[in-house]
């Protein structure tokens, strides 16, 4: 079943006299339980694509359905409600509130949806243990490492069991060990919870943890790779080859 279905997405910035078209008619479908990454060179449109799919930004043309609901037809208020219940976000810079403990940060989505305390505690225990941050639950963000901050951010994204989780360069600010710890945890949550994750990354190592990689070039889908039965090392090699054909992928600001 498709969790996300995007059809003929166009996104332009600027005025009609000075228009920059960033997305040029993208079609994309993501099935329930898929772990998909979007890759592309700087300026290819990958971050813009993530932003419009996740409702952070609006498309200029096209339709986006999540859970068979058309997001692109929603007014701001409806969209805010939909986002609250169906979408999870992991950002490169963590986006944690410094005045709240790890536990309070993770519980935020449940406090917004007024989840009963007992249910909230149960969900917190499960996700915090799965992500290996239960022991630091009473610490504040400035008392924990970057890796722990990002796992806190991931726990907050997963706790309300959204239809899909959007991750924007989640390993961008992490050292290689913290990055692989996070990616292993995301893979486990993807498998154990059948969670659907869409991740933008410039890092072929990060992409090799996914089940499918979508390559964007000049605002269009250039090619796709599916992991299938192969191991991560071989999938990584395939990603590197495609990247080479694309002309290298730098970090997109």
């Amino acid at each position: 079943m498709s969790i996300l279905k995007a059809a003929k997405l166009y996104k332009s910035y600027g005025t009609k006299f000075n228009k920059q078209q960033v997305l040029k008619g993208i079609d994309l479908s993501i099935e329930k339980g898929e772990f998909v990454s979007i890759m592309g060179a700087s300026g290819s449109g990958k971050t813009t694509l993530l932003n419009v799919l996740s409702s952070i930004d609006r498309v200029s043309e096209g339709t986006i359905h999540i859970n068979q609901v058309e997001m692109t037809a929603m007014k701001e208020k409806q969209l805010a409600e939909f986002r609250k219940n169906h979408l999870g976000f992991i950002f490169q810079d963590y986006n944690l509130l410094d005045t709240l403990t790890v536990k309070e940060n993770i519980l935020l989505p449940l406090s917004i949806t007024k989840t009963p305390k007992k249910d909230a505690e149960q969900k917190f225990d499960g996700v915090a243990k799965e992500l290996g941050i239960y022991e630091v639950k009473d610490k504040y963000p400035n008392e924990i490492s970057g890796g722990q901050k990002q796992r806190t951010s991931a726990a907050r994204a997963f706790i309300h069991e959204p239809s899909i989780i959007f991750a924007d360069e989640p390993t961008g600010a992490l050292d290689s060990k913290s990055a692989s710890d996070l990616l292993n945890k995301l893979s486990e949550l993807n498998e154990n919870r059948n969670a659907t994750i869409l991740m933008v990354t410039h890092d072929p190592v990060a992409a090799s943890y996914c089940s499918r990689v979508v390559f964007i070039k000049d605002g269009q889908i250039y090619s796709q790779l599916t992991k299938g039965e192969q191991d991560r090392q071989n999938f990584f090699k395939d990603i590197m080859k495609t990247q080479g054909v694309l002309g290298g992928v730098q970090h997109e600001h």
Side-chain angles (χ1 to χ4, degrees), residues 180-199:
S180 62
D181 284 351
L182 176 74
L183 291 160
N184 278 316
K185 295 291 183 193
L186 290 181
S187 298
E188 283 167 25
L189 287 164
N190 163 247
E191 233 163 82
N192 301 341
R193 294 174 175 238
N194 201 26
T196 310
I197 307 168
L198 179 62
M199 171 174 80

Side-chain angles (χ1 to χ4, degrees), residues 50-62:
L50 187 84
N51 287 347
V52 297
L53 292 175
S54 63
S55 79
I56 288 171
D57 201 355
R58 292 269 192 181
V59 286
S60 304
E61 283 177 56

Side-chain angles (χ1 to χ4, degrees), residues 126-141:
V127 77
K129 283 171 184 167
E130 277 180 87
L131 279 156
I133 44 175
Y134 187 78
E135 285 67 32
V136 295
K137 67 182 192 294
D138 298 320
K139 292 192 172 182
Y140 288 88

